[in-house]
Amino acid sequence: MGMRSNPQQETHSHRSIDTNQFPIIPNAIKIPNMKLGCRLFNQSRSVFRFIKPANRNLHVSFPRFLALPCKINQTRKHFSVSYPNWAQSRVFPSTCCSSSSSSNNNNNNNNNNKKNDHVSDFSTKLETNDKTLEEGRTESEMEKEAWRLLKESVVTYCGNPVGTLAACDPGDKTPLNYDQVFIRDFVPSALAFLLKGEGEIVRNFLLHTLQLQSWEKTVDCYSPGQGLMPASFKIRTVPLDDTNVEEVLDPDFGESAIGRVAPVDSGLWWIILLRAYTKITGDYAMQERVDVQTGIKLILNLCLSDGFDMFPTLLVTDGSCMIDRRMGIHGHPLEIQSLFYSALRCAREMLASDEGSKNLVRTVNNRLSALSFHTREYYWIDMKKINEIYRYKTEEYSTEAINKFNIYPEQIPYWLMNWIPEEGGYMIGNLQPAHMDFRFFTLGNIWSIVSSLSTPKQNNLILNLLESKWDDLVGNMPLKIVYPALEKEEWRIITGSDPKNTPWSYHNGGSWPTLLWQFTLACIKMGRIELARKAVDVAEKRLYSDHWPEYYDTKSGKFIGKQSRMYQTWTIAGYLTSKMLLENPEKASLLFWEEDYDLLEICVCALSKTGRKLCARGAAKSQILV
Ligand code: GLC
């Protein structure tokens, strides 16, 4: 892909990047030196700065509108927002679930006003765009309500749609941070809008979150790396004077989150969504923008930087993904690895093919190939592999060791011996020296299929397992986040006695309807549409009448989760996305990846060079090249 220069990008504002911390991207970006045009936003609990003061010698532009203040005059009944970049001023009437309803109570009415007007604009647009229904089919009441709720969850920033709130439960008096736009939660919303032909909100989201990437926030006196994307953001309304207020985007990088978890998956989702946006809309100019290219490189830089690690998998702390609290998923959890793999594949497609990116693309290719080899070889289990582990010799020394991670067979859990089907297998949840986490994590496995982290044969075997273990993994509500739940002493030690993560609840074996869209995508990819339809049918029995809960509890997903939010946006959007993917399976192909045989070759070559025949040829034939 060639880079076109876009004069619009050469604007007043810029962000700076520390090239000293940019080792893998020599001469990556050369942009004219521009003046800093972003303002400081101070808040009592934390200080936000746009750039680090010292050592910033690489300047990157981002679009002018992000730096322009958005002033709102409070004295008028219907107030207007001026947004010079769009050269427009808008008047807003009122509604219930407002983007700012909890951000600033004084401004509730005004912000509510804003909402309705925006929502009606949006509705009209979506209705005009509607070509998604099969001929002759009308939308069910359930779908109609889902669309209405999804539109109502839309958040505007200076009058423009930029995301969706995590939940819009009118009965919830303590929304905690569910009144924010979460990066991962927005993905199904974005896909629903994109599949309906509406790209503006997704484009705005991508560009605004890109701007947040360069903010610097601290946890006590420490700042996380510069490429980190926030877990979520909120639109706050701050008074400028007696009559004017200003809207400000306020990101949360984990410094306010429960447990202060680092949102490692946010940047990965951002890259994945960017690719989905360009594929579906055809707006390739977006990924070619200099600021967007820089955003991709910053994320890659964080993920690919050298550490003490011996494996190609990404090393993270507990709770760095959808399961954002302590659940024993620190180290190399599968979910992060499959998102990492997908993001690398997306980035490789989107990086400009110029001199500055050559080394980076090579690094990405090497990592992709090592990562797929590693997971296919060491994370995969089925009857045969469990039997091998069961007979493992331990304490082996040398590069020829079979039991490379020194796994003691006693660690194979009892439940697994009975549970593993004859036909079927899956990727385990985590792998560390002397430790395999045998739990089945749904998102990681589904996303391995979608991204082709696993082989075509493994992909089918994972779906076989999901089919044969339907009652455990789907039951009354698709899909179980992890199987089985941690109980008793394990629950006490691993979750730290977390009362929200009691057995078969929330992250500890709860059922999460949002996973439906990802399951649908995997099934379409593997030509198993009937399986996806079956899961959608199960979801349709409950979601609408139960008011779209966030998650369900119990072993079979029978009850609405004890602390579950209602009207959870990614439940709603996940359902709509599944429906649209099933009606337009050709669109799904824009969202998944097939096996890349060039990558396999890189790995086979690398292995044979080391002369480690044991892992080389046999593994390549039996696992990689299948
Ligand atoms: C919970 C989920 C997290 C989600 C957030 C907002 O914390 O664990 O994955 O992003 O809620 O819905």
Side-chain angles (χ1 to χ4, degrees):
M1 182 195 71
M3 287 287 298
R4 266 183 270 137
S5 73
N6 180 351
Q8 276 224 320
Q9 289 164 25
E10 301 195 1
T11 57
H12 308 299
S13 53
H14 74 276
R15 53 184 179 168
S16 298
I17 293 162
D18 185 354
T19 42
N20 296 334
Q21 294 185 18
F22 224 89
I24 56 167
I25 313 167
N27 305 320
I29 315 147
K30 291 230 187 309
I31 298 166
N33 221 351
M34 282 172 277
K35 280 199 210 112
L36 172 67
C38 305
R39 65 191 181 79
L40 299 177
F41 173 51
N42 266 318
Q43 236 201 359
S44 54
R45 71 183 160 86
S46 53
V47 179
F48 311 155
R49 296 195 300 280
F50 254 102
I51 54 169
K52 285 183 179 170
N55 269 338
R56 302 286 137 154
N57 47 9
L58 206 142
H59 302 284
V60 182
S61 68
F62 58 81
R64 182 192 330 222
F65 65 83
L66 293 172
L68 290 172
C70 162
K71 289 181 191 153
I72 301 170
N73 188 316
Q74 286 194 119
T75 52
R76 283 185 240 158
K77 196 165 166 219
H78 291 306
F79 65 98
S80 65
V81 172
S82 65
Y83 207 53
N85 192 53
W86 271 280
Q88 62 181 335
S89 176
R90 301 174 64 170
V91 177
F92 303 109
S94 116
T95 185
C96 90
C97 183
S98 158
S99 59
S100 309
S101 57
S102 45
S103 62
N104 185 331
N105 290 336
N106 297 336
N107 291 303
N108 259 359
N109 291 338
N110 291 336
N111 285 309
N112 287 344
N113 287 349
K114 236 184 337 181
K115 195 60 181 266
N116 249 359
D117 184 51
H118 164 66
V119 167
S120 61
D121 276 4
F122 213 65
S123 307
T124 321
K125 252 177 156 182
L126 287 171
E127 272 141 32
T128 328
N129 286 339
D130 194 355
K131 296 182 197 80
T132 53
L133 293 178
E134 270 162 13
E135 229 172 287
R137 190 177 86 82
T138 49
E139 247 173 19
S140 66
E141 284 311 307
M142 178 171 179
E143 285 166 276
K144 280 188 196 144
E145 178 174 272
W147 274 114
R148 182 178 59 76
L149 293 168
L150 183 61
K151 287 173 216 160
E152 283 180 14
S153 74
V154 168
V155 173
T156 61
Y157 175 58
C158 301
N160 294 279
V162 291
T164 48
L165 300 178
C168 262
D169 184 347
D172 185 5
K173 301 286 173 270
T174 48
L176 300 175
N177 54 355
Y178 284 83
D179 59 356
Q180 305 203 5
V181 180
F182 278 74
I183 309 300
R184 71 176 76 85
D185 291 41
F186 182 66
V187 175
S189 300
L191 293 178
F193 290 131
L194 286 171
L195 292 170
K196 200 73 160 178
E198 175 51 51
E200 184 201 351
I201 184 171
V202 184
R203 183 183 157 85
N204 293 344
F205 169 88
L206 288 164
L207 290 173
H208 282 80
T209 43
L210 180 63
Q211 182 200 17
L212 300 177
Q213 185 190 31
S214 58
W215 284 41
E216 191 182 300
K217 276 200 170 184
T218 57
V219 176
D220 300 328
C221 7
Y222 186 72
S223 311
Q226 216 188 3
L228 190 70
M229 281 278 177
S232 60
F233 65 85
K234 183 164 183 154
I235 289 131
R236 292 190 190 280
T237 312
V238 288
L240 278 177
D241 51 42
D242 287 349
T243 49
N244 292 303
V245 292
E246 188 178 25
E247 285 186 343
V248 186
L249 287 175
D250 180 10
D252 179 2
F253 289 89
E255 79 285 356
S256 314
I258 294 159
R260 305 292 182 264
V261 281
V264 177
D265 66 339
S266 288
L268 306 176
W269 278 122
W270 186 88
I271 292 181
I272 294 167
L273 183 59
L274 172 66
R275 187 225 184 221
Y277 166 83
T278 47
K279 281 273 192 187
I280 295 177
T281 61
D283 174 11
Y284 285 89
M286 170 80 161
Q287 73 185 37
E288 293 172 11
R289 290 169 57 123
V290 177
D291 53 348
V292 171
Q293 287 282 314
T294 306
I296 299 174
K297 287 173 180 172
L298 281 173
I299 297 168
L300 293 181
N301 186 42
L302 255 191
C303 297
L304 296 171
S305 56
D306 290 335
F308 288 106
D309 225 359
M310 296 291 284
F311 315 124
T313 34
L314 200 59
L315 179 66
V316 297
T317 50
D318 215 340
S320 59
C321 51
M322 176 183 179
I323 297 182
D324 54 1
R325 50 170 70 207
R326 181 170 159 183
M327 263 294 284
I329 52 165
H330 50 278
H332 304 93
L334 179 67
E335 176 174 333
I336 288 289
Q337 311 317 323
S338 46
L339 292 178
F340 181 35
Y341 186 80
S342 315
L344 290 180
R345 287 198 68 169
C346 295
R348 192 175 60 150
E349 274 177 39
M350 295 190 296
L351 280 169
S353 53
D354 55 20
E355 261 315 290
S357 302
K358 230 164 77 186
N359 288 346
L360 180 58
V361 171
R362 193 174 311 122
T363 309
V364 167
N365 273 326
N366 289 339
R367 190 64 173 258
L368 276 169
S369 109
L371 186 58
S372 62
F373 175 80
H374 184 86
T375 43
R376 290 166 180 207
E377 187 64 8
Y378 306 122
Y379 279 61
W380 179 255
I381 58 164
D382 51 18
M383 277 278 278
K384 185 166 161 273
K385 185 67 182 286
I386 296 173
N387 209 155
E388 265 170 42
I389 301 172
Y390 186 69
R391 292 166 49 79
Y392 263 168
K393 291 192 182 56
T394 56
E395 318 288 335
E396 288 178 291
Y397 177 80
S398 95
T399 53
E400 306 290 303
I402 306 275
N403 181 4
K404 291 195 179 59
F405 301 94
N406 200 32
I407 305 295
Y408 299 106
E410 289 71 19
Q411 150 179 175
I412 302 175
Y414 289 124
W415 65 263
L416 182 63
M417 304 272 210
N418 300 323
W419 195 70
I420 193 82
E422 296 277 341
E423 263 301 301
Y426 67 97
M427 297 277 185
I428 57 165
N430 208 340
L431 175 67
Q432 321 264 31
H435 178 65
M436 289 175 101
D437 183 343
F438 288 97
R439 285 175 291 169
F440 176 87
F441 285 84
T442 303
L443 181 52
N445 271 285
I446 289 179
W447 212 254
S448 294
I449 301 176
V450 171
S451 65
S452 279
L453 174 63
S454 31
T455 68
K457 187 173 164 193
Q458 289 172 341
N459 293 342
N460 265 314
L461 290 172
I462 296 172
L463 289 182
N464 286 351
L465 178 122
L466 269 147
E467 192 172 14
S468 69
K469 296 292 162 187
W470 192 262
D471 291 346
D472 290 332
L473 301 175
V474 176
N476 292 289
M477 182 52 65
L479 288 127
K480 194 129 296 256
I481 197 166
V482 55
Y483 182 90
L486 299 167
E487 303 193 64
K488 302 183 179 141
E489 206 50 9
E490 262 192 330
W491 165 79
R492 198 181 63 76
I493 295 168
I494 296 176
T495 73
S497 303
D498 183 350
K500 207 168 168 185
N501 271 336
T502 50
W504 308 108
S505 181
Y506 196 50
H507 294 327
N508 187 14
S511 300
W512 289 66
T514 187
L515 295 171
L516 189 59
W517 76 267
Q518 332 223 16
F519 179 61
T520 303
L521 188 56
C523 290
I524 296 176
K525 173 177 168 180
M526 300 313 295
R528 312 267 295 257
I529 292 195
E530 79 297 343
L531 216 52
R533 286 198 205 286
K534 202 171 138 195
V536 171
D537 286 349
V538 174
E540 280 180 334
K541 290 207 179 81
R542 296 286 303 268
L543 284 186
Y544 182 41
S545 53
D546 287 350
H547 309 299
W548 312 95
E550 179 187 18
Y551 65 96
Y552 285 73
D553 281 357
T554 77
K555 212 165 172 181
S556 65
K558 210 166 170 180
F559 294 115
I560 297 173
K562 65 183 162 197
Q563 289 191 43
S564 173
R565 254 72 201 175
M566 301 299 170
Y567 303 102
Q568 181 80 17
T569 306
W570 68 352
T571 298
I572 297 164
Y575 167 70
L576 288 173
T577 299
S578 293
K579 289 292 272 189
M580 281 189 288
L581 287 175
L582 284 172
E583 293 214 28
N584 308 278
E586 73 291 346
K587 288 264 170 64
S589 63
L590 302 173
L591 303 173
F592 57 68
W593 295 262
E594 297 296 349
E595 181 74 293
D596 180 335
Y597 290 94
D598 291 342
L599 287 177
L600 300 185
E601 225 171 273
I602 301 177
C603 188
V604 176
C605 291
L607 287 169
S608 45
K609 263 187 233 149
T610 64
R612 292 179 193 170
K613 289 191 206 83
L614 260 184
C615 86
R617 299 284 154 74
K621 284 211 182 92
S622 66
Q623 299 278 347
I624 315 181
L625 296 176
V626 180

